[in-house]
Amino acid sequence: MDKLYIISNWKSNKTLNDAKTWLEEIGKLSPNDSKEIIVCPPFTLLDCAKTNLPEHIKLAAQDVSPFSEGAYTGEVSAKQIKEFADYVLIGHSERRENFNETDEMLQKKVQEALKNSLTPIFLVQGKENKIPNGVDIIAYEPLFAIGSGNPETPSNADEVASFYKETSNIKYVLYGGSVNSENVSSFTKTDHIDGVLVGSASLDASEFIGIVENA
Ligand code: PGA
């Protein structure tokens, strides 16, 4: 493992004022070559996050359009995202479920991201999910663990990470689902997990700082 990814996914949370306070706190974290910190604000706050965070803290969009620029009302293209972010989440279970995202659509999103030099972080819910070509980083997030306070066991998560590394070209496997500052190290100290993707617990700046420190 050459570095740990520690990702905060805000989902549809925070307005401008909430965001500024959070960003100011997180912006105080010093650079650390062994930890890549990535923040995923909603589209409306990407600009504010870019302005208020130091360069060593990276940004990701939470989604990307499967289409290039053009007449696609409501969509945000990879080219537009690239002005603010280096990464993009693709295939979160909340999007697969609530917005009927299909494997075919997810593949197009990955292609759009790669075409525009955005690194896709592709989310899988288990070993059955197909991973589009060109993906290097995935996050394993079992449905039962998301937002439930009931995380996967580190040994099961490690086993899934090891499976993906052995059976595909995936370089980094992250774990997500009810991670917090207390349990983060049980995942990051395993042999095959390269970081964590955190939702609820990361909304609080001091808790997210604890997660980064304990990872
Ligand atoms: P959670 O969400 O940390 O609130 O469980 C994780 C995610 O959905 O990425």
Side-chain angles (χ1 to χ4, degrees):
M1 180 191 309
D2 47 13
K3 67 181 153 188
L4 275 179
Y5 288 86
I6 302 158
I7 307 182
S8 166
N9 177 12
W10 293 5
K11 308 190 180 185
S12 295
N13 293 293
K14 296 196 189 295
T15 55
L16 197 51
N17 276 342
D18 310 328
K20 281 185 179 155
T21 319
W22 190 98
L23 293 164
E24 197 180 311
E25 283 306 304
I26 301 306
K28 292 178 194 155
L29 284 166
S30 358
N32 178 336
D33 286 345
S34 63
K35 292 181 184 173
E36 176 91 328
I37 301 171
I38 304 174
V39 181
C40 316
F43 289 127
T44 52
L45 296 170
L46 276 172
D47 190 10
C48 170
K50 187 175 161 75
T51 311
N52 285 281
L53 283 176
E55 278 194 9
H56 68 91
I57 299 182
K58 305 295 181 195
L59 290 174
Q62 296 175 17
D63 184 31
V64 60
S65 173
F67 303 106
S68 301
E69 64 193 323
Y72 303 101
T73 301
E75 288 296 297
V76 182
S77 71
K79 186 176 172 184
Q80 291 172 313
I81 293 170
K82 183 63 192 174
E83 291 190 306
F84 302 98
D86 293 311
Y87 295 91
V88 59
L89 303 184
I90 296 177
H92 195 290
S93 56
E94 289 155 9
R95 296 209 56 84
R96 292 180 195 247
E97 190 184 324
N98 297 318
F99 303 96
N100 301 320
E101 292 194 346
T102 60
D103 287 345
E104 193 191 343
M105 204 188 288
L106 296 177
Q107 187 160 354
K108 282 193 187 162
K109 290 182 179 214
V110 167
Q111 282 162 359
E112 277 303 310
L114 294 172
K115 236 195 299 174
N116 290 279
S117 308
L118 279 173
T119 303
I121 298 169
F122 193 79
L123 286 87
V124 298
Q125 290 73 50
K127 290 179 184 170
E128 67 285 359
N129 287 125
K130 280 198 207 129
I131 301 179
N133 285 341
V135 169
D136 278 340
I137 310 176
I138 63 168
Y140 165 55
E141 296 203 333
L143 288 179
F144 68 83
I146 297 180
S148 65
N150 175 30
E152 174 62 289
T153 63
S155 64
N156 282 351
D158 188 51
E159 199 271 314
V160 173
S162 150
F163 165 83
Y164 272 114
K165 286 183 176 176
E166 276 166 24
T167 57
S168 61
N169 291 325
I170 302 302
K171 227 167 134 195
Y172 301 101
V173 183
L174 321 184
Y175 167 73
S178 298
V179 173
N180 57 37
S181 62
E182 301 274 296
N183 64 21
V184 62
S185 66
S186 64
F187 294 101
T188 53
K189 73 179 182 209
T190 60
D191 289 342
H192 304 98
I193 296 174
D194 305 289
V196 287
L197 175 46
V198 192
S200 338
S202 75
L203 294 175
D204 180 86
S206 53
E207 175 65 5
F208 187 58
I209 290 171
I211 291 168
V212 172
E213 283 170 352
N214 296 347

Short mmCIF file of all heavy atoms in Angstrom, two decimals, residues 49-86:
data_model
loop_
_atom_site.label_atom_id
_atom_site.label_comp_id
_atom_site.label_asym_id
_atom_site.label_seq_id
_atom_site.Cartn_x
_atom_site.Cartn_y
_atom_site.Cartn_z
N ALA A 49 -15.43 25.01 -2.08
CA ALA A 49 -14.44 24.08 -1.51
C ALA A 49 -13.09 24.30 -2.16
O ALA A 49 -12.05 24.31 -1.49
CB ALA A 49 -14.91 22.64 -1.71
N LYS A 50 -13.09 24.52 -3.46
CA LYS A 50 -11.81 24.75 -4.17
C LYS A 50 -11.14 26.03 -3.65
O LYS A 50 -9.94 26.09 -3.44
CB LYS A 50 -12.06 24.84 -5.68
CG LYS A 50 -10.79 24.91 -6.52
CD LYS A 50 -11.16 24.88 -7.98
CE LYS A 50 -10.06 25.37 -8.89
NZ LYS A 50 -8.96 24.44 -9.07
N THR A 51 -11.95 27.05 -3.43
CA THR A 51 -11.41 28.33 -2.96
C THR A 51 -10.90 28.24 -1.52
O THR A 51 -9.92 28.87 -1.17
CB THR A 51 -12.53 29.41 -3.00
OG1 THR A 51 -13.13 29.35 -4.28
CG2 THR A 51 -12.01 30.80 -2.75
N ASN A 52 -11.57 27.43 -0.71
CA ASN A 52 -11.26 27.45 0.73
C ASN A 52 -10.34 26.33 1.22
O ASN A 52 -9.97 26.32 2.40
CB ASN A 52 -12.56 27.42 1.53
CG ASN A 52 -13.25 28.77 1.48
OD1 ASN A 52 -12.88 29.69 2.20
ND2 ASN A 52 -14.24 28.90 0.60
N LEU A 53 -9.99 25.40 0.34
CA LEU A 53 -9.11 24.31 0.80
C LEU A 53 -7.71 24.48 0.23
O LEU A 53 -7.56 24.94 -0.91
CB LEU A 53 -9.66 22.95 0.34
CG LEU A 53 -10.85 22.39 1.11
CD1 LEU A 53 -11.34 21.10 0.45
CD2 LEU A 53 -10.51 22.13 2.58
N PRO A 54 -6.68 24.08 0.98
CA PRO A 54 -5.33 24.10 0.41
C PRO A 54 -5.21 23.04 -0.69
O PRO A 54 -6.01 22.09 -0.73
CB PRO A 54 -4.44 23.73 1.61
CG PRO A 54 -5.34 23.05 2.58
CD PRO A 54 -6.72 23.57 2.35
N GLU A 55 -4.18 23.19 -1.56
CA GLU A 55 -4.10 22.29 -2.73
C GLU A 55 -3.88 20.83 -2.39
O GLU A 55 -4.20 19.95 -3.17
CB GLU A 55 -2.98 22.76 -3.66
CG GLU A 55 -3.47 23.88 -4.54
CD GLU A 55 -2.54 24.15 -5.71
OE1 GLU A 55 -1.60 23.37 -5.94
OE2 GLU A 55 -2.78 25.19 -6.36
N HIS A 56 -3.31 20.56 -1.22
CA HIS A 56 -3.04 19.15 -0.90
C HIS A 56 -4.31 18.38 -0.55
O HIS A 56 -4.31 17.15 -0.50
CB HIS A 56 -1.99 19.02 0.21
CG HIS A 56 -2.45 19.50 1.57
ND1 HIS A 56 -3.05 18.64 2.47
CD2 HIS A 56 -2.41 20.70 2.15
CE1 HIS A 56 -3.35 19.33 3.56
NE2 HIS A 56 -2.98 20.59 3.40
N ILE A 57 -5.42 19.08 -0.32
CA ILE A 57 -6.70 18.38 -0.10
C ILE A 57 -7.46 18.41 -1.41
O ILE A 57 -7.67 19.47 -2.00
CB ILE A 57 -7.50 19.03 1.05
CG1 ILE A 57 -6.65 18.94 2.33
CG2 ILE A 57 -8.87 18.36 1.21
CD1 ILE A 57 -7.30 19.49 3.56
N LYS A 58 -7.82 17.22 -1.89
CA LYS A 58 -8.38 17.11 -3.24
C LYS A 58 -9.91 17.11 -3.19
O LYS A 58 -10.51 16.84 -2.16
CB LYS A 58 -7.90 15.81 -3.89
CG LYS A 58 -6.40 15.65 -3.93
CD LYS A 58 -5.77 16.71 -4.81
CE LYS A 58 -4.25 16.53 -4.87
NZ LYS A 58 -3.58 17.69 -5.40
N LEU A 59 -10.49 17.34 -4.36
CA LEU A 59 -11.95 17.37 -4.45
C LEU A 59 -12.45 16.29 -5.40
O LEU A 59 -11.79 15.94 -6.38
CB LEU A 59 -12.42 18.72 -4.96
CG LEU A 59 -12.24 19.88 -3.98
CD1 LEU A 59 -12.61 21.19 -4.65
CD2 LEU A 59 -13.10 19.66 -2.74
N ALA A 60 -13.65 15.79 -5.09
CA ALA A 60 -14.34 14.86 -5.98
C ALA A 60 -15.77 15.33 -6.13
O ALA A 60 -16.36 15.86 -5.18
CB ALA A 60 -14.34 13.45 -5.40
N ALA A 61 -16.35 15.13 -7.32
CA ALA A 61 -17.79 15.32 -7.49
C ALA A 61 -18.46 14.02 -7.05
O ALA A 61 -17.83 12.96 -7.02
CB ALA A 61 -18.11 15.64 -8.93
N GLN A 62 -19.73 14.10 -6.71
CA GLN A 62 -20.45 12.90 -6.23
C GLN A 62 -21.07 12.11 -7.38
O GLN A 62 -21.61 11.02 -7.18
CB GLN A 62 -21.56 13.31 -5.27
CG GLN A 62 -21.05 13.96 -4.01
CD GLN A 62 -22.18 14.44 -3.13
OE1 GLN A 62 -23.33 14.04 -3.28
NE2 GLN A 62 -21.88 15.33 -2.20
N ASP A 63 -21.01 12.70 -8.58
CA ASP A 63 -21.63 12.06 -9.75
C ASP A 63 -21.14 12.81 -10.98
O ASP A 63 -20.56 13.89 -10.87
CB ASP A 63 -23.16 12.18 -9.63
CG ASP A 63 -23.89 11.45 -10.75
OD1 ASP A 63 -23.37 10.43 -11.25
OD2 ASP A 63 -24.99 11.92 -11.14
N VAL A 64 -21.38 12.23 -12.16
CA VAL A 64 -21.02 12.90 -13.41
C VAL A 64 -22.04 12.49 -14.47
O VAL A 64 -22.58 11.38 -14.41
CB VAL A 64 -19.58 12.53 -13.82
CG1 VAL A 64 -19.42 11.01 -14.03
CG2 VAL A 64 -19.13 13.27 -15.07
N SER A 65 -22.25 13.37 -15.41
CA SER A 65 -23.17 13.04 -16.50
C SER A 65 -22.58 11.93 -17.37
O SER A 65 -21.37 11.91 -17.61
CB SER A 65 -23.39 14.28 -17.36
OG SER A 65 -24.15 13.94 -18.50
N PRO A 66 -23.43 11.03 -17.89
CA PRO A 66 -22.91 10.04 -18.84
C PRO A 66 -22.72 10.64 -20.24
O PRO A 66 -22.21 9.98 -21.14
CB PRO A 66 -24.03 8.97 -18.88
CG PRO A 66 -25.28 9.69 -18.47
CD PRO A 66 -24.85 10.83 -17.57
N PHE A 67 -23.14 11.92 -20.42
CA PHE A 67 -23.04 12.59 -21.72
C PHE A 67 -21.94 13.66 -21.69
O PHE A 67 -21.62 14.20 -20.63
CB PHE A 67 -24.35 13.29 -22.06
CG PHE A 67 -25.53 12.37 -22.07
CD1 PHE A 67 -26.46 12.41 -21.03
CD2 PHE A 67 -25.72 11.46 -23.10
CE1 PHE A 67 -27.56 11.57 -21.02
CE2 PHE A 67 -26.83 10.61 -23.09
CZ PHE A 67 -27.74 10.66 -22.05
N SER A 68 -21.43 14.01 -22.87
CA SER A 68 -20.52 15.15 -22.95
C SER A 68 -21.34 16.42 -22.84
O SER A 68 -22.54 16.36 -22.68
CB SER A 68 -19.79 15.14 -24.29
OG SER A 68 -19.08 13.93 -24.41
N GLU A 69 -20.68 17.57 -22.98
CA GLU A 69 -21.43 18.83 -22.86
C GLU A 69 -22.53 18.91 -23.92
O GLU A 69 -22.48 18.23 -24.94
CB GLU A 69 -20.48 20.01 -23.02
CG GLU A 69 -19.84 20.09 -24.40
CD GLU A 69 -18.67 21.06 -24.43
OE1 GLU A 69 -18.74 22.10 -23.78
OE2 GLU A 69 -17.70 20.76 -25.13
N GLY A 70 -23.53 19.74 -23.68
CA GLY A 70 -24.59 19.90 -24.68
C GLY A 70 -25.95 19.99 -24.06
O GLY A 70 -26.10 20.43 -22.91
N ALA A 71 -26.96 19.58 -24.81
CA ALA A 71 -28.36 19.77 -24.41
C ALA A 71 -28.83 18.66 -23.47
O ALA A 71 -29.57 17.76 -23.87
CB ALA A 71 -29.22 19.83 -25.66
N TYR A 72 -28.36 18.69 -22.24
CA TYR A 72 -28.73 17.68 -21.23
C TYR A 72 -29.09 18.41 -19.94
O TYR A 72 -28.31 18.45 -18.98
CB TYR A 72 -27.58 16.70 -21.00
CG TYR A 72 -27.16 16.00 -22.26
CD1 TYR A 72 -26.03 16.41 -22.95
CD2 TYR A 72 -27.93 14.96 -22.79
CE1 TYR A 72 -25.66 15.80 -24.14
CE2 TYR A 72 -27.57 14.35 -23.98
CZ TYR A 72 -26.44 14.77 -24.65
OH TYR A 72 -26.09 14.17 -25.82
N THR A 73 -30.27 19.01 -19.92
CA THR A 73 -30.69 19.85 -18.81
C THR A 73 -30.54 19.14 -17.46
O THR A 73 -30.98 17.99 -17.32
CB THR A 73 -32.16 20.27 -19.00
OG1 THR A 73 -32.24 20.97 -20.24
CG2 THR A 73 -32.65 21.17 -17.87
N GLY A 74 -29.90 19.82 -16.54
CA GLY A 74 -29.77 19.27 -15.18
C GLY A 74 -28.52 18.44 -14.98
O GLY A 74 -28.17 18.13 -13.84
N GLU A 75 -27.84 18.07 -16.06
CA GLU A 75 -26.64 17.23 -15.92
C GLU A 75 -25.38 18.11 -15.79
O GLU A 75 -25.34 19.23 -16.30
CB GLU A 75 -26.48 16.32 -17.13
CG GLU A 75 -27.50 15.20 -17.18
CD GLU A 75 -27.33 14.24 -16.01
OE1 GLU A 75 -26.28 13.60 -15.91
OE2 GLU A 75 -28.26 14.15 -15.19
N VAL A 76 -24.37 17.59 -15.15
CA VAL A 76 -23.09 18.29 -15.05
C VAL A 76 -22.03 17.40 -15.72
O VAL A 76 -21.85 16.24 -15.34
CB VAL A 76 -22.73 18.58 -13.57
CG1 VAL A 76 -21.42 19.36 -13.49
CG2 VAL A 76 -23.85 19.38 -12.90
N SER A 77 -21.37 17.96 -16.72
CA SER A 77 -20.46 17.14 -17.53
C SER A 77 -19.09 17.00 -16.86
O SER A 77 -18.70 17.81 -16.01
CB SER A 77 -20.29 17.75 -18.92
OG SER A 77 -19.51 18.93 -18.80
N ALA A 78 -18.36 15.98 -17.29
CA ALA A 78 -17.02 15.74 -16.75
C ALA A 78 -16.11 16.93 -17.02
O ALA A 78 -15.28 17.31 -16.17
CB ALA A 78 -16.44 14.48 -17.37
N LYS A 79 -16.29 17.55 -18.19
CA LYS A 79 -15.45 18.72 -18.52
C LYS A 79 -15.71 19.86 -17.52
O LYS A 79 -14.77 20.55 -17.10
CB LYS A 79 -15.80 19.17 -19.94
CG LYS A 79 -14.94 20.26 -20.49
CD LYS A 79 -15.34 20.54 -21.92
CE LYS A 79 -14.63 21.77 -22.47
NZ LYS A 79 -15.11 22.07 -23.82
N GLN A 80 -16.96 20.04 -17.13
CA GLN A 80 -17.29 21.10 -16.16
C GLN A 80 -16.72 20.76 -14.79
O GLN A 80 -16.21 21.62 -14.08
CB GLN A 80 -18.81 21.26 -16.07
CG GLN A 80 -19.42 21.85 -17.34
CD GLN A 80 -20.94 21.83 -17.31
OE1 GLN A 80 -21.56 20.82 -16.97
NE2 GLN A 80 -21.55 22.95 -17.66
N ILE A 81 -16.82 19.49 -14.41
CA ILE A 81 -16.32 19.07 -13.09
C ILE A 81 -14.81 19.24 -13.01
O ILE A 81 -14.26 19.65 -11.99
CB ILE A 81 -16.72 17.59 -12.82
CG1 ILE A 81 -18.24 17.50 -12.66
CG2 ILE A 81 -16.01 17.06 -11.58
CD1 ILE A 81 -18.77 16.08 -12.63
N LYS A 82 -14.14 18.94 -14.11
CA LYS A 82 -12.67 18.98 -14.12
C LYS A 82 -12.13 20.38 -13.75
O LYS A 82 -10.99 20.51 -13.29
CB LYS A 82 -12.16 18.51 -15.49
CG LYS A 82 -10.67 18.42 -15.63
CD LYS A 82 -10.04 17.40 -14.68
CE LYS A 82 -8.53 17.55 -14.63
NZ LYS A 82 -7.90 16.69 -13.62
N GLU A 83 -12.93 21.41 -13.92
CA GLU A 83 -12.47 22.76 -13.54
C GLU A 83 -12.28 22.87 -12.02
O GLU A 83 -11.62 23.77 -11.54
CB GLU A 83 -13.48 23.81 -13.99
CG GLU A 83 -13.54 23.97 -15.49
CD GLU A 83 -14.36 25.17 -15.91
OE1 GLU A 83 -15.53 25.26 -15.48
OE2 GLU A 83 -13.84 26.01 -16.66
N PHE A 84 -12.92 21.95 -11.27
CA PHE A 84 -12.87 22.04 -9.80
C PHE A 84 -12.23 20.81 -9.14
O PHE A 84 -11.64 20.94 -8.08
CB PHE A 84 -14.29 22.18 -9.24
CG PHE A 84 -15.02 23.37 -9.77
CD1 PHE A 84 -15.91 23.25 -10.82
CD2 PHE A 84 -14.79 24.63 -9.23
CE1 PHE A 84 -16.57 24.36 -11.33
CE2 PHE A 84 -15.44 25.74 -9.73
CZ PHE A 84 -16.34 25.61 -10.79
N ALA A 85 -12.45 19.65 -9.73
CA ALA A 85 -12.12 18.41 -9.02
C ALA A 85 -11.17 17.52 -9.81
O ALA A 85 -11.04 17.66 -11.03
CB ALA A 85 -13.43 17.64 -8.75
N ASP A 86 -10.51 16.61 -9.10
CA ASP A 86 -9.63 15.62 -9.74
C ASP A 86 -10.27 14.24 -9.79
O ASP A 86 -9.83 13.37 -10.51
CB ASP A 86 -8.33 15.49 -8.95
CG ASP A 86 -7.51 16.76 -9.02
OD1 ASP A 86 -7.32 17.27 -10.14
OD2 ASP A 86 -7.08 17.27 -7.96
#
